[in-house]
Amino acid sequence: MSSLTEKDRPIVQLLLNSGTCPRCILRFCCVGSQMLYRCPYKDLMKNLREFLKNNKEKEDTVCFDVVDPPCKRIRLEQMEEGPDDLNHNRALQQIPTVNNENTAIENSALKVCNVCLGILQEFCEIDFVKKVCQKVNSSDYQFTSFVFSVSLPPQLSVRERAAWLLVKQEMGKLGLSLAKEDIVQLKEAYKWIIHPQLSEELGVPADGKSLFEVSVVFAHPETDEECRFLATACPDCFKPAKNKQSVFTRMAVIKALEKIKEEDFLMHFPCPPSSPMNLSVALEIQCNNGAVFVAGRYNKYSRNLPQTPWIIDGERKLESSVEELISEHLMAEFKADSFNFSSSGREDVDVRTLGNGRPFAIELVNPRRIHFTAEEMKGLQQTINNSSDKIQVRDLQLVTRSAIGRMKEGEEEKTKTYSALIWTDKAIQREDIAFLDDIKELKLDQKTPLRVLHRRPLAVRCRIIHTMKSEYIDEHHFRLHLKTQAGTYIKEFVHGDFGRTKPNIGCLLNRTADILELDVESVDVDWPPTLEN
Amino acid sequence: RICVITLAEAHPLLQNGKTITSINYQISANCSRLQNKVSGKSKRGAQFLTELAPLCRISSSDGEEYTIYSCIRGRLIEVNENILSNPALLQEKPSTEGYIAVILPKFEESKSVTQGLLTQKEYEEVLLKRLNSSS
């Protein structure tokens, strides 16, 4: 909350001489006024030089201040500076007649700051802001706020450390100390400057919790090797990770900087840091929207449709899939990069899902469009239903990420009801199957079915058949309705799976039985909420 | 591809008049098929079998002892303990409840394993030949 005072003078001089930009100088002098950082670069430079020229003839506390109109983009935070300061400043401010020395220096080409490598210089200018906004607008996202995230090259931390050591040393001479925590962080200062500008160009506020992220990656190839000395000084901080290109990540560098001793640091790294030839570059400007979730229930009417695409060795074995038929239209409407489909359990390719259908949720990754009214969702539902007779969806709605948990709990805990068409080898009469209706809470021991054993661990599952209802058809056929615990293998309960599911229909009827058809009649999960039609 | 090992149709044990007295999964001092333990999807810890690895030894009431071999390479997943308690099952339902063992060949060897086997038709031809040559 301070401006520059007398005691800052030697620091300012030192840093300016070593090639540090005005905003970094303000940072190292712990100036906390956001407004100051937002002032145009040229004005800051000019006023710093003014400040330096003002010698002890003036009052002890010299206020470094910048008057309007130079700062056009300042918001009401200006309240920090009282009217007194303004008057005081006018007296101090020199009218644009500068002496020769100053002109020469000011007119020289912009020196790239040796601490921020240009981040607080070039990349605070309106040109860059416009470049970012151009990328945002051309990417065609729907958003109501944004969060701006910045990735800085690791060598910035090294240079920051060198500058701090330099300043600390100088202040030590004055009998003063400077804690690392008091220095204004580069990222923070950068955001002070750029947020209002971005906000104005995009027309929406900056919000840390926003789902829409604009991210920029900065790099400075010229100084990339500067972190290398840390590897010899602190080798255990830099373990090669398989999926990272460079071992010198920001985190690793910061850790090493914490460990390294001051003397060692100064031995290997110039203090003050050298002036680079080039500015940093903005490698990537990317936009990303947080995922949206669409939930509903699906019915499956085909006995030839897998849940997920069935591809072996690059060859598709069966046409389409439940998830593709549903997601295709959502992807198009939401303009997402990709999707993740999950459901409360699933059925085999040859099993139909009837009744209210099975709950599902689709995560749409990086959607361009995120706002849909209930009407629009209904329209989407209709589109999906019109596009295929193999599946139908209902209760299509937007949900939150946390809602997925409810769906998954349904998979493990809730009951399901089925209808099975069963064949027997030896003839049956009505009386032979009637007793099935009276069996309640039948306990099964099911070893992992042979048909999935190649991809599941071998185990024994205890499952319960709650109720059964039989429907006699003829001497070799009957239909069985069952209500079972989640995770019960119905087909194996019918044919016995080589005796590995006990008891089974075959042994209950003392015959060999097999299943001809299976339908899911209901999935007893009351999520997602039923929508009125 | 999961494989289920069962007695072939023409096996002596499945011919009339044979009664099984015992089935023994202990095939050597150190190795009992009953102690086979597998864990996880990749069935770690399974006993690895080659074609000539014995699965079990079956004794019949007429004093004969038959060794049942794996006949294929792969990991032993499980042996059928139901036939230990009910040996008749092996003869009554040799191709279903009376199976001997379940084996999972290596994924890469899946094709070669299948190709090394006879189809039902080829097997019947072998049986016919046997019948003709002995008569």
Side-chain angles (χ1 to χ4, degrees):
Chain A
M1 205 31 63
S2 55
S3 319
L4 291 180
T5 61
E6 192 54 43
K7 66 171 171 58
D8 296 318
R9 190 187 297 277
I11 310 296
V12 175
Q13 187 73 69
L14 178 64
L15 287 175
L16 196 61
N17 288 348
S18 67
T20 307
C21 75
R23 292 185 178 121
C24 283
I25 293 176
L26 289 181
R27 289 196 301 116
F28 278 89
C29 293
C30 310
V31 174
S33 155
Q34 295 187 22
M35 186 198 77
L36 276 178
Y37 290 87
R38 293 187 192 129
C39 290
Y41 188 81
K42 277 213 300 279
D43 295 342
L44 284 174
M45 191 56 118
K46 195 161 85 171
N47 283 293
L48 265 184
R49 294 189 194 285
E50 297 294 325
F51 171 75
L52 284 176
K53 273 175 41 222
N54 287 330
N55 50 34
K56 293 198 173 87
E57 288 171 18
K58 308 288 175 178
E59 296 176 22
D60 262 313
T61 45
V62 172
C63 286
F64 173 84
D65 198 2
V66 190
V67 193
D68 47 37
C71 303
K72 288 198 181 94
R73 288 183 182 278
I74 295 168
R75 316 242 173 201
L76 293 166
E77 291 95 76
Q78 202 168 348
M79 308 289 198
E80 295 162 6
E81 317 300 321
D84 286 344
D85 297 7
L86 283 170
N87 291 336
H88 184 81
N89 217 45
R90 279 206 187 95
L92 287 179
Q93 182 122 23
Q94 287 190 4
I95 315 123
T97 48
V98 200
N99 65 33
N100 290 338
E101 200 184 79
N102 268 1
T103 326
I105 296 168
E106 277 180 38
N107 288 344
S108 62
L110 175 73
K111 248 178 123 194
V112 179
C113 175
N114 64 340
V115 178
C116 71
L117 298 176
I119 304 283
L120 291 183
Q121 298 174 289
E122 205 58 33
F123 293 101
C124 293
E125 297 299 314
I126 190 68
D127 284 341
F128 181 66
V129 172
K130 283 207 195 289
K131 195 169 164 210
V132 173
C133 293
Q134 201 181 50
K135 184 72 204 280
V136 171
N137 291 326
S138 67
S139 307
D140 198 29
Y141 278 87
Q142 210 180 32
F143 54 94
T144 51
S145 62
F146 70 94
V147 61
F148 185 61
S149 67
V150 159
S151 168
L152 299 172
Q155 53 270 39
L156 279 185
S157 312
V158 180
R159 282 167 170 263
E160 186 90 358
R161 169 62 57 96
W164 173 51
L165 290 177
L166 181 73
V167 175
K168 206 166 64 136
Q169 200 178 57
E170 189 65 25
M171 293 191 75
K173 293 183 197 158
L174 297 172
L176 295 166
S177 66
L178 175 64
K180 197 150 48 88
E181 303 78 58
D182 292 336
I183 303 173
V184 175
Q185 289 299 301
L186 198 158
K187 247 193 208 179
E188 205 182 341
Y190 185 55
K191 290 194 179 178
W192 287 343
I193 304 167
I194 206 158
H195 272 179
Q197 293 185 74
L198 279 176
S199 203
E200 174 147 346
E201 282 292 317
L202 293 174
V204 295
D207 178 4
K209 293 203 285 288
S210 177
L211 288 174
F212 179 60
E213 183 190 18
V214 180
S215 59
V216 181
V217 176
F218 288 111
H220 196 256
E222 187 189 321
T223 56
D224 268 344
E225 298 299 306
E226 278 181 2
C227 300
R228 216 150 266 285
F229 75 94
L230 287 171
T232 34
C234 302
D236 47 309
C237 288
F238 299 99
K239 295 195 192 101
K242 279 184 208 148
N243 54 352
K244 294 208 167 69
Q245 294 166 309
S246 172
V247 155
F248 297 103
T249 61
R250 229 175 67 85
M251 285 321 297
V253 167
I254 289 174
K255 239 176 55 176
L257 285 175
E258 276 167 21
K259 281 178 114 179
I260 194 172
K261 288 204 267 283
E262 211 173 289
E263 314 86 65
D264 290 334
F265 182 89
L266 291 169
M267 258 201 312
H268 288 100
F269 196 80
C271 179
S274 57
S275 281
M277 295 290 293
N278 303 306
L279 281 171
S280 296
V281 288
L283 275 186
E284 297 170 15
I285 303 172
Q286 279 187 342
C287 301
N288 189 74
N289 231 342
V292 295
F293 294 85
V294 175
R297 298 180 84 108
Y298 71 83
N299 283 100
K300 179 171 174 267
Y301 298 117
S302 163
R303 290 200 187 278
N304 228 344
L305 188 67
Q307 178 96 327
T308 55
W310 195 337
I311 302 173
I312 304 206
D313 293 331
E315 216 187 293
R316 194 182 267 269
K317 294 293 176 186
L318 271 182
E319 199 187 303
S320 198
S321 61
V322 172
E323 71 169 35
E324 283 169 299
L325 287 175
I326 300 177
S327 308
E328 203 179 332
H329 298 277
L330 294 176
M331 285 284 283
E333 280 297 313
F334 282 78
K335 299 206 188 78
D337 284 347
S338 63
F339 68 87
N340 289 319
F341 182 92
S342 55
S343 58
S344 184
R346 55 187 173 166
E347 55 287 310
D348 288 339
V349 172
D350 56 354
V351 174
R352 296 188 305 176
T353 307
L354 310 175
N356 261 351
R358 187 183 292 278
F360 69 87
I362 301 179
E363 177 186 359
L364 292 156
V365 179
N366 199 14
R368 305 297 187 277
R369 269 201 69 187
I370 55 173
H371 292 124
F372 286 84
T373 62
E375 285 304 307
E376 286 171 313
M377 289 306 286
K378 277 219 187 88
L380 248 182
Q381 180 173 302
Q382 197 59 53
T383 309
I384 297 175
N385 288 338
N386 290 341
S387 71
S388 170
D389 51 5
K390 293 187 180 169
I391 54 117
Q392 292 282 285
V393 298
R394 71 180 73 203
D395 303 333
L396 198 68
Q397 56 195 273
L398 287 166
V399 295
T400 62
R401 186 187 287 269
S402 53
I404 312 291
R406 286 222 52 201
M407 177 189 71
K408 280 303 179 184
E409 98 189 4
E411 185 169 347
E412 322 251 312
E413 293 169 21
K414 306 293 184 176
T415 58
K416 322 276 160 78
T417 63
Y418 300 89
S419 166
L421 179 59
I422 302 179
W423 166 89
T424 59
D425 61 344
K426 296 206 283 265
I428 45 165
Q429 305 306 323
R430 276 176 213 276
E431 313 82 72
D432 297 321
I433 60 171
F435 75 100
L436 291 173
D437 297 3
D438 300 325
I439 302 179
K440 307 287 176 216
E441 310 303 310
L442 177 64
K443 281 214 191 77
L444 303 182
D445 283 317
Q446 301 196 284
K447 278 200 193 153
T448 309
L450 290 176
R451 63 184 169 97
V452 301
L453 192 50
H454 61 285
R455 55 185 167 88
R456 294 266 171 79
L458 180 66
V460 180
R461 290 163 187 72
C462 293
R463 290 291 184 268
I464 300 183
I465 310 254
H466 297 296
T467 60
M468 290 189 277
K469 179 105 185 62
S470 59
E471 247 178 71
Y472 185 82
I473 298 178
D474 62 39
E475 287 194 337
H476 291 280
H477 300 93
F478 70 101
R479 196 167 272 286
L480 187 65
H481 300 272
L482 330 82
K483 180 165 172 176
T484 75
Q485 186 182 359
T488 311
Y489 287 97
I490 307 298
K491 293 178 181 175
E492 276 68 20
F493 170 60
V494 174
H495 61 61
D497 191 35
F498 290 70
R500 298 163 74 256
T501 286
K502 289 193 280 216
N504 56 72
I505 291 287
C507 72
L508 286 175
L509 297 180
N510 206 8
R511 286 161 172 77
T512 300
D514 206 350
I515 184 166
L516 298 180
E517 270 177 20
L518 182 61
D519 291 330
V520 177
E521 298 273 345
S522 73
V523 175
D524 307 323
V525 179
D526 56 5
W527 180 93
T530 317
L531 299 178
E532 302 305 323
N533 274 331
Chain B
R1 293 243 167 139
I2 284 282
C3 301
V4 182
I5 312 296
T6 62
L7 284 185
E9 280 170 40
H11 197 281
L13 279 169
L14 295 180
Q15 309 317 311
N16 282 334
K18 290 274 188 182
T19 319
I20 297 178
T21 49
S22 72
I23 302 177
N24 192 358
Y25 281 111
Q26 182 91 35
I27 54 163
S28 71
N30 291 334
C31 181
S32 163
R33 298 303 181 201
L34 288 174
Q35 283 169 351
N36 190 53
K37 286 239 170 339
V38 302
S39 67
K41 261 192 246 184
S42 49
K43 320 297 187 286
R44 263 167 303 146
Q47 293 170 7
F48 193 83
L49 304 173
T50 55
E51 290 90 332
L52 292 175
L55 284 173
C56 63
R57 300 211 165 82
I58 305 181
S59 309
S60 54
S61 57
D62 55 4
E64 295 279 356
E65 196 195 60
Y66 300 92
T67 305
I68 312 297
Y69 298 98
S70 166
C71 306
I72 58 171
R73 289 168 56 86
R75 289 182 195 240
L76 177 63
I77 306 297
E78 68 181 41
V79 290
N80 190 357
E81 297 189 27
N82 293 330
I83 56 177
L84 277 184
S85 44
N86 183 11
L89 199 50
L90 181 50
Q91 293 170 306
E92 285 163 25
K93 298 198 173 151
S95 300
T96 55
E97 274 105 334
Y99 73 95
I100 310 274
V102 177
I103 297 179
L104 181 64
K106 282 194 200 162
F107 183 74
E108 313 82 67
E109 292 182 18
S110 201
K111 249 205 166 135
S112 59
V113 164
T114 327
Q115 281 163 358
L117 304 173
L118 299 173
T119 63
Q120 178 76 19
K121 224 168 156 250
E122 286 167 346
Y123 179 59
E124 283 166 11
E125 279 169 27
V126 169
L127 290 184
L128 259 171
K129 279 207 194 100
R130 229 188 259 170
L131 216 59
N132 291 341
S133 62
S134 61
S135 54

